[in-house]
Amino acid sequence: TAEPLDDEHRPTVRTTQVEYEIPPGASLQEVRIVVVDRKGEHTIYRNFHRPGETISEKVTGEGPDAVVRIYVSGMVAKEKPF
């Protein structure tokens, strides 16, 4: 059986709220929110939005170097460590 992790070895879980207003451009733009953390890169949100709409998502990542990236139409629009 595996021994439980003590606090020193337990992964740090971080959470942040991400808000983003879709910029002017095509009438429908694909938006993806990606978290990069100690477990790798994973998409946590993907949908199409119109310019001017605002999205708000709570994101969670593990480790001290977690980063959230927002992609609009395939390009990184915002990157934020958390």
Side-chain angles (χ1 to χ4, degrees), residues 13-68:
V13 176
R14 301 170 186 275
T15 301
T16 190
Q17 189 73 27
V18 176
E19 292 192 10
Y20 184 75
E21 183 176 334
I22 309 307
S27 60
L28 278 180
Q29 300 178 55
E30 182 186 36
V31 178
R32 284 190 313 127
I33 300 176
V34 174
V35 171
V36 181
D37 63 8
R38 65 180 289 279
K39 294 163 107 180
E41 181 175 309
H42 40 281
T43 299
I44 57 112
Y45 179 89
R46 184 177 177 181
N47 210 339
F48 287 87
H49 290 274
R50 298 182 191 288
E53 291 182 344
T54 300
I55 56 172
S56 180
E57 287 290 316
K58 188 165 142 178
V59 299
T60 302
E62 284 188 20
D65 300 320
V67 173
V68 61

